[in-house]
């Protein structure tokens, strides 16, 4: 099975991730590894993960996303999740998943502004 | 109950790819039935949870997606069937946060909330059949 790799872009001191693909389990796990790797390579101070194109988050994907946020924090970087679709946020509530302590913003642009605020850049 | 089946799609779950295929079929059919976007996401999520449980706990099985018609209502019915180990303590399995696999334990209670109707039949050593239906409002 071929694993799709989610592109991670560097913009100044931040990493930008826009998830545009169907999130199968292997892709999600690979993304987790790739992101941690890129943070340590670049010493990025913040990460924006844009979920605008994601139309479904089940408990497995939610768990991995939560883990990604925790790992990023442990590595000393700030994380913002952006663009969570209204329908997706409602299903997350149905699932009882709250993403406590995770910063969110409306879109990529707002996410970047929030990161700049958080990192004081 | 007089239930009529209008259309059905069967997706075998033998590997992780099956989870994605089942999810895509659910998305496709719920869109075609003109479910609103929230219900489309609910259906797709429920299918993903049930398909993953089959893959994780039973190894393989199948997801059946049916369009049904009953007393003036049209709905989408998901049947997740496997011949795996079954569930010994259903009450525990249905509890939010219970997991035997380091998950969130959100799948089964989540499916019940995401859908309008939910039923679970299981026999240890024989397998599990879960059905969940969403009606078009
Ligand atoms: N088809 C099945 N066959 C056997 N056991 C099952 C099956 N589905 C669920 N279970 C059992 O029920 C428990 C609860 O399932 P549930 O989907 O709620 O949570 P999970 O799969 O552990 O975590 P999550 O779904 O949040 O990733 C599972 O941990 C497993 O022990
Ligand atoms: Mg599960």
């Amino acid at each position: 099975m071929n694993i799709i790799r989610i592109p991670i872009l560097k913009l100044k001191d931040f990493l930008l991730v826009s998830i545009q693909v169907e999130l199968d389990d292997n892709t999600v796990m690979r993304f987790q590894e790739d992101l941690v790797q890129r943070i340590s390579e670049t010493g990025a101070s913040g990460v924006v993960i844009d979920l605008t194109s994601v139309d479904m988050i089940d408990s497995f994907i939610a768990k991995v996303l939560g883990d990604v946020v925790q790992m990023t924090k442990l590595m000393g970087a700030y994380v913002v999740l952006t663009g969570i679709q209204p329908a997706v946020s409602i299903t997350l509530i149905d699932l009882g998943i709250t993403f406590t302590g995770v910063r969110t913003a409306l879109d990529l642009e707002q996410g970047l502004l929030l990161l700049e605020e958080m990192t004081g850049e | 109950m007089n239930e009529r089946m209008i259309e059905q799609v069967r997706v075998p779950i033998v590997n992780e790819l099956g989870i994605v295929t089942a999810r895509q079929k659910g998305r496709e059919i719920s869109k075609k039935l003109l479910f609103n976007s929230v219900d489309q996401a609910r259906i797709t999520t429920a299918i993903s949870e049930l398909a993953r449980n089959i893959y994780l706990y039973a190894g393989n099985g199948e997801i059946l997606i049916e369009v049904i018609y009953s007393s003036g209502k049209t709905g989408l019915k998901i049947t997740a069937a496997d011949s795996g180990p079954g569930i010994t303590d259903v009450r525990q399995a249905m509890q939010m946060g219970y997991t035997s696999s380091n998950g969130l334990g959100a799948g089964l209670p989540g499916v019940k909330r995401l859908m309008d109707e939910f039923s679970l039949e299981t026999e240890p050593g024989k397998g599990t059949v879960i059905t969940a239906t969403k009606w078009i409002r």
Side-chain angles (χ1 to χ4, degrees), chain A residues 59, chain B residues 49 53 57 82 85-87 93 98-101 103-109 128:
Chain A
S59 60
Chain B
E49 296 295 350
N53 281 355
Y57 307 116
D82 67 65
I87 302 173
Y98 173 77
T99 178
S100 61
S101 69
L104 294 176
L108 287 181
T128 304

Side-chain angles (χ1 to χ4, degrees), chain B residues 54-98:
Chain B
I54 291 175
Y55 172 69
L56 277 182
Y57 307 116
N60 62 76
E62 68 166 32
I63 295 280
L64 178 68
I65 303 168
E66 291 173 293
V67 180
I68 57 170
Y69 185 82
S70 172
S71 47
K73 289 182 302 182
T74 305
L76 185 149
K77 179 175 174 183
I78 310 162
T79 305
D82 67 65
S83 314
I87 302 173
T88 17
D89 190 340
V90 175
R91 274 216 5 226
Q92 177 179 250
M94 289 302 298
Q95 233 159 51
M96 172 61 192
Y98 173 77

Side-chain angles (χ1 to χ4, degrees), chain A residues 13-29:
Chain A
D13 213 13
F14 301 144
L15 295 179
L16 291 188
V17 186
S18 175
I19 298 179
Q20 306 271 359
V21 295
E22 174 88 41
L23 289 174
D24 65 76
D25 298 7
N26 291 314
T27 302
V28 176
M29 296 307 292

Side-chain angles (χ1 to χ4, degrees), chain B residues 37-59:
Chain B
S37 64
V38 175
D39 284 347
Q40 285 178 31
R42 286 187 167 122
I43 290 164
T44 314
T45 307
I47 291 173
S48 193
E49 296 295 350
L50 295 173
R52 179 167 292 100
N53 281 355
I54 291 175
Y55 172 69
L56 277 182
Y57 307 116

Side-chain angles (χ1 to χ4, degrees), chain A residues 85-120:
Chain A
Q85 292 181 16
V88 172
S89 68
I90 291 171
T91 59
L92 284 172
I93 290 169
D94 285 345
L95 287 172
I97 294 167
T98 47
F99 279 135
T100 36
V102 179
R103 299 298 299 263
T104 56
L106 200 59
D107 54 26
L108 205 65
E109 202 181 340
Q110 295 293 321
L112 280 170
L113 285 173
L114 182 58
L115 266 190
E116 278 170 7
E117 224 171 80
M118 292 181 348
T119 57

Side-chain angles (χ1 to χ4, degrees), chain B residues 2-4 11 29-30 37-38 63 68-69 72 74 76 78 88 101-102 105 107 109 120-122 136:
Chain B
N2 193 0
E3 196 178 281
R4 208 149 53 84
V11 183
I29 296 171
S30 59
S37 64
V38 175
I63 295 280
I68 57 170
Y69 185 82
T74 305
L76 185 149
I78 310 162
T88 17
S101 69
N102 198 25
L120 188 158
E121 275 169 57
T122 184
I136 296 175

